[in-house]
Amino acid sequence: MVAMTAAALAATSAPSWAQAQDFPSKPITLIVPFPAGGSTDRHMRTLADLAGKQLGQPIVVDNRPGAGGTLGPGTMARTAKPDGYTITQFPMSMLRMAHMQKVAWNPITDFTYIIGVSGYTFGFTVRSDSPYRSFNDYIAAARKSPGAVDYGSTGAGTSPHLLMEELAENAKVKLTHVPFKGNADLQQALLGGHVSAQSDATGWDKYVDGGQMRLLLTFGEKRTTRWPEVPTAKELGYGVVSTSPYGLVGPKGMDPAIVQKLHDAFKKAMDDPRHAELMLQLNQDAWYRSGADYAQWAKEAFAKDKLLIERLGLGAK
């Protein structure tokens, strides 16, 4: 009986071992849950190219925007096989949307955490011809006309949305939020005059440097090296700091050996000089976490953000 059990275990584990040894034997799909052209897309395409070279197979980016960055990962969790051939960028909104509305996935138990990668630099911009010369001008206008002053973000529940809601609460003003599918759509809406301001990651960098937009505020712990003249929300007294870490995950139940292969390839990609150069362009810092550390961080952030969402009155009814 013991011999038969051992043989059965060997038979069931052999295919898994062989799969891991052969992985990857075909292209890998990396879901980017925001439109092409934004800061997330720029970052993920570079990482995919570098990691694909390490793995010996191309990593193909699949843009699936929607639902504040949760549509792509949520769909993957429900439909993709846990074989390592479909993975996704995992934005902070995944840890928040489940507190804000009913979703068909659990951000902790329905994913395999692979690697922590980076965090966004968030900023608040207006068009260069905007009457708001400073962020305090914008807040003063909101105080004068409650609800009449708007801003766009990359979607309900995203960090750019929640940090502005928290700031508005601290400043005791009412702002009108206009959600978009992603960074590229939001930039065009602001440039076209469809919204008066935007809260977003550094996809606006080229427009700020090119003179089409004015950067009024950043949301880091300290001023950025690229735009050192621009104040932070913290130093202006609004009490909001946000970097919004993100990484890569796959469906739940992935083979640990395949997870390790993916982790190692992306870690080498993160250490590549080409990646470091892009981080400078995006004004982002590396945020490396192993799969286990990333999963533990996600559990803690999930619990912490529940309290924030409830305090802002944005929790599911």
Side-chain angles (χ1 to χ4, degrees):
M1 180 65 72
V2 173
M4 289 174 63
T5 303
L9 285 171
T12 56
S13 63
S16 174
W17 179 85
Q19 265 188 337
Q21 285 291 104
D22 295 340
F23 180 86
S25 58
K26 61 182 181 180
I28 295 166
T29 295
L30 169 58
I31 295 170
V32 174
F34 298 103
S39 58
T40 306
D41 181 69
R42 286 162 63 188
H43 187 197
M44 290 297 105
R45 285 182 186 275
T46 297
L47 264 187
D49 183 51
L50 293 170
K53 289 179 170 63
Q54 295 292 331
L55 291 167
Q57 287 285 349
I59 299 177
V60 181
V61 168
D62 180 9
N63 295 94
R64 296 192 200 174
T70 67
L71 179 63
T75 302
M76 181 203 71
R78 297 193 313 273
T79 62
K81 295 178 181 178
D83 56 9
Y85 288 102
T86 306
I87 59 176
T88 184
Q89 190 254 8
F90 193 83
M92 277 287 289
S93 52
M94 290 296 295
L95 298 172
R96 294 166 172 165
M97 197 64 76
H99 297 311
M100 298 174 67
Q101 63 187 56
K102 187 175 181 179
V103 294
W105 39 265
N106 182 297
I108 304 302
T109 59
D110 286 342
F111 296 90
T112 298
Y113 286 77
I114 299 169
I115 188 171
V117 177
S118 184
Y120 296 106
T121 291
F122 292 116
F124 188 87
T125 72
V126 295
R127 280 199 338 184
S128 56
D129 60 356
S130 169
Y132 308 127
R133 305 295 300 180
S134 71
F135 189 76
N136 285 339
D137 288 346
Y138 176 83
I139 292 298
R143 285 205 179 100
K144 187 176 180 180
S145 305
V149 176
D150 67 12
Y151 74 94
S153 85
T154 45
T158 60
S159 292
H161 170 219
L162 291 185
L163 64 87
M164 281 301 296
E165 292 299 313
E166 187 175 8
L167 187 150
E169 182 188 57
N170 294 347
K172 296 179 172 53
V173 297
K174 181 175 176 55
L175 303 172
T176 296
H177 173 234
V178 183
F180 289 83
K181 284 186 176 181
N183 175 280
D185 297 343
L186 177 55
Q187 307 308 311
Q188 293 310 309
L190 178 58
L191 291 171
H194 305 296
V195 288
S196 59
Q198 69 165 337
S199 172
D200 195 16
T202 47
W204 36 256
D205 61 343
K206 57 187 175 183
Y207 300 111
V208 170
D209 291 345
Q212 295 103 317
M213 293 184 190
R214 188 183 305 131
L215 178 61
L216 303 185
L217 191 76
T218 56
F219 291 96
E221 189 69 40
K222 57 185 179 181
R223 293 191 182 197
T224 66
T225 54
R226 188 166 170 185
W227 302 281
E229 73 283 0
V230 178
T232 66
K234 180 181 178 182
E235 70 181 272
L236 290 182
Y238 293 110
V240 179
V241 176
S242 179
T243 54
S244 193
Y246 60 85
L248 301 174
V249 303
K252 68 178 179 181
M254 287 177 61
D255 185 326
I258 290 177
V259 174
Q260 191 64 48
K261 278 194 172 185
L262 288 167
H263 166 278
D264 293 350
F266 278 100
K267 179 63 171 69
K268 288 179 180 176
M270 288 176 65
D271 294 338
D272 190 282
R274 188 174 145 209
H275 181 253
E277 183 181 349
L278 179 64
M279 290 286 92
L280 285 174
Q281 291 175 18
L282 297 176
N283 209 79
Q284 293 182 199
D285 294 322
W287 186 78
Y288 167 69
R289 297 291 186 278
S290 68
D293 289 344
Y294 187 20
Q296 181 60 38
W297 173 87
K299 289 178 186 176
E300 294 169 1
F302 186 53
K304 180 181 176 183
D305 283 352
K306 183 176 189 290
L307 301 177
L308 170 64
I309 287 163
E310 289 176 348
R311 180 164 63 79
L312 295 175
L314 297 171
K317 300 292 187 272

